[in-house]
PDB file of all heavy atoms in Angstrom:
ATOM      1  N   TYR B 190     181.943 -92.813   5.852  1.00 96.00           N
ATOM      2  CA  TYR B 190     182.091 -92.747   4.398  1.00 96.00           C
ATOM      3  C   TYR B 190     181.560 -91.448   3.797  1.00 96.00           C
ATOM      4  O   TYR B 190     181.421 -91.355   2.575  1.00 96.00           O
ATOM      5  CB  TYR B 190     181.408 -93.961   3.763  1.00 96.00           C
ATOM      6  CG  TYR B 190     182.209 -95.222   3.995  1.00 96.00           C
ATOM      7  CD1 TYR B 190     181.875 -96.097   5.022  1.00 96.00           C
ATOM      8  CD2 TYR B 190     183.334 -95.503   3.232  1.00 96.00           C
ATOM      9  CE1 TYR B 190     182.622 -97.233   5.262  1.00 96.00           C
ATOM     10  CE2 TYR B 190     184.083 -96.639   3.464  1.00 96.00           C
ATOM     11  CZ  TYR B 190     183.729 -97.493   4.479  1.00 96.00           C
ATOM     12  OH  TYR B 190     184.484 -98.624   4.715  1.00 96.00           O
ATOM     13  N   THR B 191     181.319 -90.470   4.630  1.00 95.00           N
ATOM     14  CA  THR B 191     180.979 -89.141   4.109  1.00 95.00           C
ATOM     15  C   THR B 191     181.959 -88.078   4.618  1.00 95.00           C
ATOM     16  O   THR B 191     181.712 -86.890   4.433  1.00 95.00           O
ATOM     17  CB  THR B 191     179.542 -88.747   4.513  1.00 95.00           C
ATOM     18  OG1 THR B 191     179.374 -88.904   5.928  1.00 95.00           O
ATOM     19  CG2 THR B 191     178.522 -89.608   3.786  1.00 95.00           C
ATOM     20  N   ARG B 192     183.073 -88.522   5.247  1.00 94.00           N
ATOM     21  CA  ARG B 192     184.091 -87.563   5.702  1.00 94.00           C
ATOM     22  C   ARG B 192     185.007 -87.209   4.531  1.00 94.00           C
ATOM     23  O   ARG B 192     185.280 -88.027   3.657  1.00 94.00           O
ATOM     24  CB  ARG B 192     184.928 -88.145   6.845  1.00 94.00           C
ATOM     25  CG  ARG B 192     184.186 -88.523   8.142  1.00 94.00           C
ATOM     26  CD  ARG B 192     183.349 -87.397   8.675  1.00 94.00           C
ATOM     27  NE  ARG B 192     181.990 -87.469   8.127  1.00 94.00           N
ATOM     28  CZ  ARG B 192     181.140 -86.458   8.148  1.00 94.00           C
ATOM     29  NH1 ARG B 192     181.502 -85.293   8.663  1.00 94.00           N
ATOM     30  NH2 ARG B 192     179.931 -86.594   7.643  1.00 94.00           N
ATOM     31  N   ASP B 193     185.494 -85.979   4.542  1.00 94.00           N
ATOM     32  CA  ASP B 193     186.395 -85.515   3.493  1.00 94.00           C
ATOM     33  C   ASP B 193     187.861 -85.589   3.903  1.00 94.00           C
ATOM     34  O   ASP B 193     188.740 -85.248   3.114  1.00 94.00           O
ATOM     35  CB  ASP B 193     186.050 -84.072   3.104  1.00 94.00           C
ATOM     36  CG  ASP B 193     184.693 -83.988   2.406  1.00 94.00           C
ATOM     37  OD1 ASP B 193     184.347 -84.938   1.672  1.00 94.00           O
ATOM     38  OD2 ASP B 193     183.976 -82.992   2.614  1.00 94.00           O
ATOM     39  N   ASP B 194     188.126 -86.024   5.125  1.00 94.00           N
ATOM     40  CA  ASP B 194     189.492 -86.210   5.618  1.00 94.00           C
ATOM     41  C   ASP B 194     189.687 -87.698   5.891  1.00 94.00           C
ATOM     42  O   ASP B 194     189.010 -88.271   6.740  1.00 94.00           O
ATOM     43  CB  ASP B 194     189.705 -85.394   6.902  1.00 94.00           C
ATOM     44  CG  ASP B 194     191.142 -85.453   7.407  1.00 94.00           C
ATOM     45  OD1 ASP B 194     191.852 -86.444   7.101  1.00 94.00           O
ATOM     46  OD2 ASP B 194     191.562 -84.531   8.116  1.00 94.00           O
ATOM     47  N   TRP B 195     190.609 -88.350   5.177  1.00 93.00           N
ATOM     48  CA  TRP B 195     190.763 -89.795   5.321  1.00 93.00           C
ATOM     49  C   TRP B 195     191.245 -90.187   6.710  1.00 93.00           C
ATOM     50  O   TRP B 195     190.927 -91.282   7.195  1.00 93.00           O
ATOM     51  CB  TRP B 195     191.704 -90.343   4.254  1.00 93.00           C
ATOM     52  CG  TRP B 195     193.169 -90.018   4.443  1.00 93.00           C
ATOM     53  CD1 TRP B 195     193.853 -88.976   3.908  1.00 93.00           C
ATOM     54  CD2 TRP B 195     194.105 -90.770   5.216  1.00 93.00           C
ATOM     55  NE1 TRP B 195     195.169 -89.013   4.286  1.00 93.00           N
ATOM     56  CE2 TRP B 195     195.354 -90.110   5.088  1.00 93.00           C
ATOM     57  CE3 TRP B 195     194.045 -91.920   6.003  1.00 93.00           C
ATOM     58  CZ2 TRP B 195     196.516 -90.567   5.715  1.00 93.00           C
ATOM     59  CZ3 TRP B 195     195.198 -92.371   6.624  1.00 93.00           C
ATOM     60  CH2 TRP B 195     196.408 -91.711   6.486  1.00 93.00           C
ATOM     61  N   ARG B 196     191.993 -89.312   7.367  1.00 92.00           N
ATOM     62  CA  ARG B 196     192.468 -89.626   8.720  1.00 92.00           C
ATOM     63  C   ARG B 196     191.294 -89.703   9.693  1.00 92.00           C
ATOM     64  O   ARG B 196     191.247 -90.591  10.541  1.00 92.00           O
ATOM     65  CB  ARG B 196     193.483 -88.581   9.180  1.00 92.00           C
ATOM     66  CG  ARG B 196     194.759 -88.561   8.345  1.00 92.00           C
ATOM     67  CD  ARG B 196     195.645 -87.388   8.709  1.00 92.00           C
ATOM     68  NE  ARG B 196     196.810 -87.304   7.843  1.00 92.00           N
ATOM     69  CZ  ARG B 196     196.800 -86.763   6.634  1.00 92.00           C
ATOM     70  NH1 ARG B 196     195.671 -86.227   6.156  1.00 92.00           N
ATOM     71  NH2 ARG B 196     197.894 -86.728   5.898  1.00 92.00           N
ATOM     72  N   LEU B 197     190.366 -88.764   9.554  1.00 93.00           N
ATOM     73  CA  LEU B 197     189.182 -88.779  10.402  1.00 93.00           C
ATOM     74  C   LEU B 197     188.330 -90.009  10.093  1.00 93.00           C
ATOM     75  O   LEU B 197     187.848 -90.696  11.009  1.00 93.00           O
ATOM     76  CB  LEU B 197     188.368 -87.505  10.182  1.00 93.00           C
ATOM     77  CG  LEU B 197     187.048 -87.388  10.965  1.00 93.00           C
ATOM     78  CD1 LEU B 197     187.317 -87.462  12.465  1.00 93.00           C
ATOM     79  CD2 LEU B 197     186.337 -86.089  10.607  1.00 93.00           C
ATOM     80  N   ALA B 198     188.177 -90.311   8.806  1.00 93.00           N
ATOM     81  CA  ALA B 198     187.385 -91.480   8.408  1.00 93.00           C
ATOM     82  C   ALA B 198     188.010 -92.762   8.948  1.00 93.00           C
ATOM     83  O   ALA B 198     187.310 -93.637   9.483  1.00 93.00           O
ATOM     84  CB  ALA B 198     187.275 -91.535   6.886  1.00 93.00           C
ATOM     85  N   ALA B 199     189.326 -92.884   8.827  1.00 90.00           N
ATOM     86  CA  ALA B 199     190.012 -94.083   9.308  1.00 90.00           C
ATOM     87  C   ALA B 199     189.916 -94.203  10.824  1.00 90.00           C
ATOM     88  O   ALA B 199     189.737 -95.299  11.366  1.00 90.00           O
ATOM     89  CB  ALA B 199     191.469 -94.054   8.872  1.00 90.00           C
ATOM     90  N   GLY B 200     190.020 -93.071  11.511  1.00 89.00           N
ATOM     91  CA  GLY B 200     189.925 -93.087  12.963  1.00 89.00           C
ATOM     92  C   GLY B 200     188.552 -93.492  13.460  1.00 89.00           C
ATOM     93  O   GLY B 200     188.409 -94.170  14.483  1.00 89.00           O
ATOM     94  N   LEU B 201     187.521 -93.071  12.734  1.00 91.00           N
ATOM     95  CA  LEU B 201     186.150 -93.379  13.135  1.00 91.00           C
ATOM     96  C   LEU B 201     185.740 -94.804  12.778  1.00 91.00           C
ATOM     97  O   LEU B 201     184.768 -95.326  13.319  1.00 91.00           O
ATOM     98  CB  LEU B 201     185.182 -92.412  12.454  1.00 91.00           C
ATOM     99  CG  LEU B 201     185.211 -90.952  12.915  1.00 91.00           C
ATOM    100  CD1 LEU B 201     184.341 -90.091  12.002  1.00 91.00           C
ATOM    101  CD2 LEU B 201     184.747 -90.830  14.362  1.00 91.00           C
ATOM    102  N   LEU B 202     186.475 -95.448  11.876  1.00 90.00           N
ATOM    103  CA  LEU B 202     186.068 -96.733  11.319  1.00 90.00           C
ATOM    104  C   LEU B 202     185.922 -97.823  12.380  1.00 90.00           C
ATOM    105  O   LEU B 202     185.093 -98.727  12.245  1.00 90.00           O
ATOM    106  CB  LEU B 202     187.075 -97.171  10.255  1.00 90.00           C
ATOM    107  CG  LEU B 202     186.695 -98.349   9.360  1.00 90.00           C
ATOM    108  CD1 LEU B 202     185.415 -98.053   8.594  1.00 90.00           C
ATOM    109  CD2 LEU B 202     187.829 -98.655   8.392  1.00 90.00           C
ATOM    110  N   LEU B 203     186.707 -97.740  13.430  1.00 89.00           N
ATOM    111  CA  LEU B 203     186.675 -98.766  14.464  1.00 89.00           C
ATOM    112  C   LEU B 203     185.338 -98.794  15.210  1.00 89.00           C
ATOM    113  O   LEU B 203     184.858 -99.859  15.598  1.00 89.00           O
ATOM    114  CB  LEU B 203     187.812 -98.518  15.455  1.00 89.00           C
ATOM    115  CG  LEU B 203     187.946 -99.490  16.629  1.00 89.00           C
ATOM    116  CD1 LEU B 203     188.274-100.882  16.120  1.00 89.00           C
ATOM    117  CD2 LEU B 203     189.023 -99.001  17.595  1.00 89.00           C
ATOM    118  N   ILE B 204     184.718 -97.624  15.409  1.00 93.00           N
ATOM    119  CA  ILE B 204     183.527 -97.527  16.264  1.00 93.00           C
ATOM    120  C   ILE B 204     182.327 -98.278  15.691  1.00 93.00           C
ATOM    121  O   ILE B 204     181.752 -99.139  16.361  1.00 93.00           O
ATOM    122  CB  ILE B 204     183.183 -96.048  16.529  1.00 93.00           C
ATOM    123  CG1 ILE B 204     184.373 -95.353  17.193  1.00 93.00           C
ATOM    124  CG2 ILE B 204     181.946 -95.935  17.418  1.00 93.00           C
ATOM    125  CD1 ILE B 204     184.209 -93.858  17.329  1.00 93.00           C
ATOM    126  N   PRO B 205     181.905 -98.004  14.455  1.00 94.00           N
ATOM    127  CA  PRO B 205     180.753 -98.764  13.937  1.00 94.00           C
ATOM    128  C   PRO B 205     181.038-100.245  13.782  1.00 94.00           C
ATOM    129  O   PRO B 205     180.130-101.078  13.898  1.00 94.00           O
ATOM    130  CB  PRO B 205     180.471 -98.108  12.584  1.00 94.00           C
ATOM    131  CG  PRO B 205     181.753 -97.456  12.198  1.00 94.00           C
ATOM    132  CD  PRO B 205     182.375 -97.008  13.477  1.00 94.00           C
TER     133      PRO B 205
END
Side-chain angles (χ1 to χ4, degrees):
Y190 287 98
T191 52
R192 299 308 91 197
D193 292 326
D194 185 335
W195 73 266
R196 296 172 185 81
L197 178 59
L201 290 172
L202 192 59
L203 180 64
I204 302 172

